[in-house]
Amino acid sequence: MISIENLDFIYPSGNHALKSINLTVQRGEFVAVVGRNGSGKSTFAGVVSGLVRPTKGAVFINGINTKSKSRFIELRKTLGMVFQNPENQLVFEKVRDDIAFGLRNLNFSDAEIENRIEEISKIMGIEGFTDSFELSMGQKQRVAIASVLAMNPQCIVFDEPTAMLDPKGKKDIHNIVVDLHKSGITVVYVTNVIDEVLPADRIVVIENGSIKDEFKKQELFDNIEKMKSFGLEIPLIMDLLYTLKQKGIDIFVNKWAVNDVADNIYAYIENIKGHINV
Ligand SMILES: Nc1ncnc2c1ncn2[C@@H]1O[C@H](COP(=O)(O)OP(=O)(O)O)[C@@H](O)[C@H]1O
Ligand SMILES: [Mg+2]
């Protein structure tokens, strides 16, 4: 789906923000990108989504080079991007104008646009939203995602989409991302909220503009010390199990949703009870 080859990006100021990046994202994957502030995550998101051109190397989306001018529209339809601040993404006063914007540019008919707005609004739970300025940041982020979804993309790049939201907004948006991935959309998810990496298939660590490491979901728990050495937090639920493990309580977990972990802890306790006959 996405192939990044020997990518470098240098800002006009001379800041060498991305260095020798190679990464492939398969169709249907959920890849989380983590790293400290200033490590290059937003630059990476911009280049991957084709909004910014690589200084060196190339990014291919379904085999199409993001530099290709003749296939620009095809690229825009295939891949969308959601920014940290929804206010940078929404330009109109009326919610429906923002959702319709991309479709109008692609010369969809009014009837098609109406249908699409209705369909997307239902999916995103924003049917009652009319004026952007009346919305909370979390609601605005929903509209921003809706405006991207209207193009029916195969892939969405998210750049810290929950960073500016209150706790409920963060949870809402993150759940929406997980649902979109379940519906088949390929997700590249830049975050510094470490708990948000848990649904990802792979976690890519960026430091000083380079990919420093990459963990599969199943490998994360065994690489906690390494994650810490990158200055990353550990997902709370993993930290709990890791701390228990250091105390000699080794609970096997293969899914990190609270329910699954609770089931495993319960099974562990039941097993002990069986052995000591309480
Ligand atoms: N428009 C810009 N011009 C010059 N340097 C920039 C610009 N935007 C970001 N940078 C620099 O590029 C590096 C990576 O920034 P960024 O991609 O925003 O990191 P992150 O999203 O991980 O915080 C930083 O050193 C930052 O100061
Ligand atoms: Mg950033």
Side-chain angles (χ1 to χ4, degrees):
M1 173 89 235
I2 302 176
S3 175
I4 303 166
E5 297 177 5
N6 301 318
L7 169 77
D8 272 47
F9 184 80
I10 305 173
Y11 280 103
S13 64
N15 196 338
H16 202 148
L18 297 176
K19 297 163 200 150
S20 308
I21 296 210
N22 286 286
L23 187 74
T24 306
V25 177
Q26 304 297 337
R27 191 149 192 191
E29 249 194 315
F30 185 144
V31 175
V33 178
V34 298
R36 295 174 220 255
N37 274 343
S39 57
K41 302 184 300 297
S42 292
T43 310
F44 175 80
V47 180
V48 172
S49 61
L51 298 180
V52 183
R53 287 160 174 229
T55 310
K56 245 171 60 189
V59 177
F60 296 92
I61 312 293
N62 284 345
I64 307 171
N65 192 321
T66 57
K67 282 187 178 165
S68 163
K69 282 189 182 143
S70 60
R71 301 181 79 178
F72 177 76
I73 290 178
E74 208 176 328
L75 282 166
R76 285 273 63 83
K77 281 202 231 170
T78 309
L79 184 142
M81 175 156 171
V82 174
F83 298 86
Q84 185 167 346
N85 185 349
E87 289 176 350
N88 292 340
Q89 191 145 5
L90 304 177
V91 288
F92 298 99
E93 284 179 13
K94 297 287 177 201
V95 165
R96 53 189 311 109
D97 288 332
D98 266 311
I99 303 175
F101 180 65
L103 301 171
R104 289 200 177 118
N105 280 343
L106 293 177
N107 293 324
F108 275 65
S109 74
D110 286 350
E112 281 170 317
I113 291 175
E114 284 309 309
N115 280 342
R116 195 64 80 83
I117 290 177
E118 202 173 308
E119 186 191 334
I120 301 290
S121 298
K122 238 182 237 158
I123 293 172
M124 294 302 294
I126 59 171
E127 294 109 313
F129 297 3
T130 50
D131 296 291
S132 282
F133 61 86
E134 286 181 342
L135 304 178
S136 70
M137 281 302 242
Q139 290 171 327
K140 283 181 187 170
Q141 195 58 293
R142 278 184 191 229
V143 175
I145 296 175
S147 70
V148 168
L149 275 185
M151 309 290 280
N152 202 12
Q154 292 171 19
C155 176
I156 304 180
V157 177
F158 294 87
D159 184 12
E160 298 195 38
T162 66
M164 308 194 65
L165 314 185
D166 61 20
K168 182 176 178 301
K170 281 189 201 306
K171 214 169 173 185
D172 276 356
I173 294 300
H174 190 246
N175 286 339
I176 285 169
V177 174
V178 172
D179 285 346
L180 291 176
H181 173 244
K182 282 186 186 148
S183 78
I185 291 181
T186 307
V187 171
V188 176
Y189 192 84
V190 173
T191 183
N192 63 4
V193 183
I194 202 72
D195 283 324
E196 292 185 353
V197 308
L198 288 173
D201 300 310
R202 272 194 294 155
I203 297 96
V204 171
V205 182
I206 295 194
E207 198 169 65
N208 288 325
S210 302
I211 294 184
K212 278 287 144 63
D213 219 324
E214 189 183 313
F215 305 108
K216 290 204 183 77
K217 187 203 297 244
Q218 310 86 298
E219 296 168 341
L220 206 51
F221 190 65
D222 293 328
N223 283 285
I224 283 184
E225 288 305 329
K226 222 173 182 184
M227 298 270 292
K228 285 184 179 167
S229 74
F230 291 123
L232 299 168
E233 279 177 60
I234 306 305
L236 199 54
I237 199 153
M238 276 192 183
D239 211 9
L240 170 68
L241 279 248
Y242 188 64
T243 309
L244 284 172
K245 190 174 176 179
Q246 285 168 325
K247 292 178 189 296
I249 299 174
D250 197 357
I251 296 170
F252 173 77
V253 167
N254 61 358
K255 276 189 182 168
W256 292 98
V258 170
N259 271 342
D260 297 306
V261 174
D263 283 348
N264 289 341
I265 294 176
Y266 182 81
Y268 183 90
I269 294 172
E270 283 295 300
N271 188 26
I272 292 178
K273 275 198 206 159
H275 281 92
I276 57 175
N277 256 335
V278 282

